[in-house]
Amino acid sequence: MTLTLIDRARRTGHVTDRDVEDAPDRGPADTGAAPERTPDAAPCSAPRRAAGREADGLAVASFVLGLVGLLVFNLLLGPAAIVMALLALARRTRCPGRARLGLALGVADLVVLAVLVTVNGTVAWDLAG
């Protein structure tokens, strides 16, 4: 009877200390078993959490690409930072400031590219003079 109650509790995910103390006759197969999750526990939370993490990742990637794009490959990294920032903002990231900063850095990458082409006639830095 006690083992049956523990099995039911494990299936629903509700195992208390009392359940474990009352059943000293558990077999070796039950020692490391984790409680199973029922599919109806939280049907919409997992995809929503994954989308939030993805949007946060896009915001961070936009910031990093925009920052690196100020120094190298601004022709490629600037537009990539802009697109990622807009996607993160559209997916309602939890860090909109980071996404906006990535957007600003992506635009700054394109401004730096325009200045380099205008002044030097090239798309590369020329620190020698």
Side-chain angles (χ1 to χ4, degrees):
M1 167 108 173
T2 305
L3 189 57
T4 306
L5 291 175
I6 289 176
D7 289 339
R8 284 185 193 160
R10 283 196 178 151
R11 276 189 227 121
T12 60
H14 303 290
V15 178
T16 63
D17 292 334
R18 183 172 173 229
D19 293 335
V20 174
E21 289 172 3
D22 288 345
D25 57 335
R26 283 189 292 163
D30 291 336
T31 56
E36 294 180 17
R37 295 273 179 186
T38 56
D40 59 335
C44 336
S45 65
R48 187 174 183 197
R49 234 180 278 150
R53 287 183 186 158
E54 182 180 321
D56 292 344
L58 283 170
V60 171
S62 169
F63 172 71
V64 170
L65 288 179
L67 195 61
V68 172
L70 287 174
L71 301 174
V72 293
F73 299 120
N74 46 6
L75 180 63
L76 299 173
L77 297 182
I82 292 170
V83 168
M84 287 184 173
L86 291 175
L87 282 173
L89 290 172
R91 294 181 182 178
R92 300 194 188 273
T93 179
R94 289 180 297 193
C95 346
R98 226 176 265 160
R100 288 186 193 114
L101 190 57
L103 180 64
L105 286 170
V107 170
D109 290 348
L110 296 179
V111 169
V112 166
L113 177 67
V115 168
L116 285 174
V117 169
T118 305
V119 173
N120 292 339
T122 183
V123 292
W125 291 96
D126 186 20
L127 299 176

